[in-house]
Amino acid sequence: MQCDKCSAEAVMHAAYSGLHLCADHFTRSVEKRVRRRIREDGLVPDDATPEDPATWVIGLSGGKDSVVLTQILHDTFAMDPRIELVALSIHEGIEGYRDKSLDACEALTASLDIRHETVSYAEEFGVRMDDVAEDDPENMAPCAYCGVFRRDLLSRYAEAFDADLMLTGHNLDDEAETALMNFLEGDVEQIAKHFDASLGPLDERTEQDHHVPRAKPLRDVPEKEVALYAQLEDLPAHITECPHAEEAFRGEIQRLMLDLEEDHPGTRHSIMSGYEELAALAADAYGGGRQSYGECERCGAPTARDICRKCALVEALEEPE
Ligand code: SF4
Ligand code: ZN
């Protein structure tokens, strides 16, 4: 099959657009979508200057998504003195998994000359995910703990680096799954929060003074295309899956979404365009009357309770059985 834009051999066919693209046109189209998203979400602040640049912290796990995000952000902003990139990796304490992906992070940031910081659950909270999965005092999936710890570290370190923005590698599949999960759970306030936390254009979000704003510039690119980009660009991505991955509901949604997309190409895109419009309305409707945040009595993190969720989990994990 030939590329629709030139005479080279096509390396991919996107059923949702009908396009066949060669390696060159495909990688350019991924980069174009990411840059358009950065523009449309208004991520580059007007007042950033070479003397006072904006600091963007990238959550870099070493998986294909965050590796592709880091590479494209570097290619886009390396020559732009208004933006300073910092990569932040988290060591969860998962034997045989995280060490290898951290090697990928090291290799990438060294080759791009990006500042790279690594923080660990062990040092920060005194826990390792392998032990958490074993002890499981709250009787939850490992990812439920891990997500709380990760969010805490990302926002705390984004704060510590005086970051203007926290960027993560969520792709189109991730976001469409989250959207569908929020629909199915019937949680409109969650949808409003999603808009204000990471989905809406920066200047349309309700001000969140309790955390650094987040952004997901890869969210227009399907997962398979992110993987193909990493492969074609020969990026040092780590592909093994975490041994504790078992988010039951998301797994079901994932399978449902793949089936829908196969039978009705374009489903993920249409879910997201409808969801974004609804999320904007929901954020607007909830805007004023949102919960107010105080500080956690233990760690000072923003929380609506006396003790934040992370501190409650660490405490439960410390208790003797
Ligand atoms: Fe943590 Fe779950 Fe991701 Fe493993 S799959 S790193 S346990 S969130
Ligand atoms: Zn706390």
Side-chain angles (χ1 to χ4, degrees):
M1 197 56 94
Q2 194 182 314
C3 175
D4 289 330
K5 313 237 175 210
C6 72
S7 58
E9 172 102 28
V11 294
M12 62 89 68
H13 169 237
Y16 60 84
S17 63
L19 277 182
H20 296 82
L21 295 175
C22 67
D24 216 30
H25 279 106
F26 166 72
T27 49
R28 270 192 260 165
S29 98
V30 170
E31 290 153 9
K32 218 166 101 185
R33 277 174 274 168
V34 175
R35 288 174 189 146
R36 187 180 57 208
R37 177 48 70 194
I38 291 171
R39 224 171 26 247
E40 284 183 0
D41 285 354
L43 300 185
V44 178
D46 293 335
D47 57 359
T49 60
E51 293 72 38
D52 185 18
T55 302
W56 286 9
V57 176
I58 310 167
L60 177 61
S61 71
K64 62 179 184 338
D65 302 299
S66 61
V67 163
V68 167
L69 175 65
T70 303
Q71 177 73 48
I72 296 180
L73 287 175
H74 171 267
D75 293 346
T76 309
F77 293 107
M79 306 302 284
D80 186 339
R82 294 170 307 159
I83 303 291
E84 216 165 72
L85 300 175
V86 182
L88 176 64
S89 300
I90 294 182
H91 198 308
E92 297 94 343
I94 301 168
E95 198 63 47
Y97 166 68
R98 193 46 91 206
D99 293 319
K100 286 196 198 110
S101 58
L102 283 176
D103 290 346
C105 298
E106 286 294 340
L108 182 74
T109 50
S111 78
L112 301 180
D113 200 17
I114 291 180
R115 176 178 164 201
H116 181 224
E117 305 284 342
T118 303
V119 295
S120 73
Y121 290 180
E123 271 169 48
E124 299 286 336
F125 310 129
V127 302
R128 301 176 67 257
M129 271 317 291
D130 285 338
D131 301 328
V132 172
E134 184 116 332
D135 296 349
D136 189 14
E138 305 278 286
N139 203 10
M140 319 189 286
C143 301
Y145 298 89
C146 198
V148 171
F149 295 147
R150 177 176 306 111
R151 270 193 299 279
D152 181 83
L153 283 188
L154 288 179
S155 55
R156 196 136 47 87
Y157 276 86
E159 202 86 48
F161 297 149
D162 206 10
D164 298 276
L165 199 62
M166 172 87 224
L167 304 104
T168 55
H170 294 81
N171 59 49
L172 176 63
D173 297 52
D174 297 327
E175 288 295 282
E177 283 159 27
T178 300
L180 203 53
M181 285 165 75
N182 287 342
F183 274 135
L184 295 180
E185 281 165 351
D187 194 343
V188 179
E189 188 172 0
Q190 189 58 39
I191 297 175
K193 281 186 188 160
H194 192 181
F195 183 88
D196 285 332
S198 65
L199 202 63
L202 269 191
D203 61 350
E204 288 175 29
R205 300 182 193 176
T206 306
E207 194 76 29
Q208 305 270 300
D209 52 2
H210 59 282
H211 68 61
V212 174
R214 287 185 284 141
K216 299 165 177 170
L218 284 190
R219 69 186 165 89
D220 300 313
V221 186
E223 170 152 24
K224 259 166 74 182
E225 294 182 34
V226 176
L228 181 59
Y229 186 94
Q231 189 197 327
L232 291 171
E233 294 288 298
D234 204 15
L235 300 180
H238 177 77
I239 40 167
T240 320
E241 219 188 298
C242 168
H244 305 306
E246 49 155 297
E247 256 195 296
F249 188 38
R250 186 174 285 272
E252 272 178 61
I253 297 291
Q254 233 157 32
R255 287 188 291 278
L256 179 70
M257 188 80 79
L258 287 176
D259 286 347
L260 281 171
E261 186 67 36
E262 182 152 333
D263 296 341
H264 314 276
T267 298
R268 289 165 303 188
H269 289 87
S270 57
I271 287 178
M272 282 317 291
S273 69
Y275 179 81
E276 272 174 48
E277 232 176 288
L278 283 173
L281 293 172
D284 213 29
Y286 274 91
R290 211 75 68 71
Q291 260 176 337
S292 65
Y293 283 80
E295 283 182 5
C296 170
E297 287 172 8
R298 301 267 160 84
C299 74
T303 177
R305 304 171 244 210
D306 293 340
I307 293 174
C308 74
R309 181 83 176 127
K310 178 260 306 174
C311 285
L313 290 181
V314 170
E315 189 176 343
L317 286 160
E318 280 167 352
E319 259 163 36
E321 283 158 55

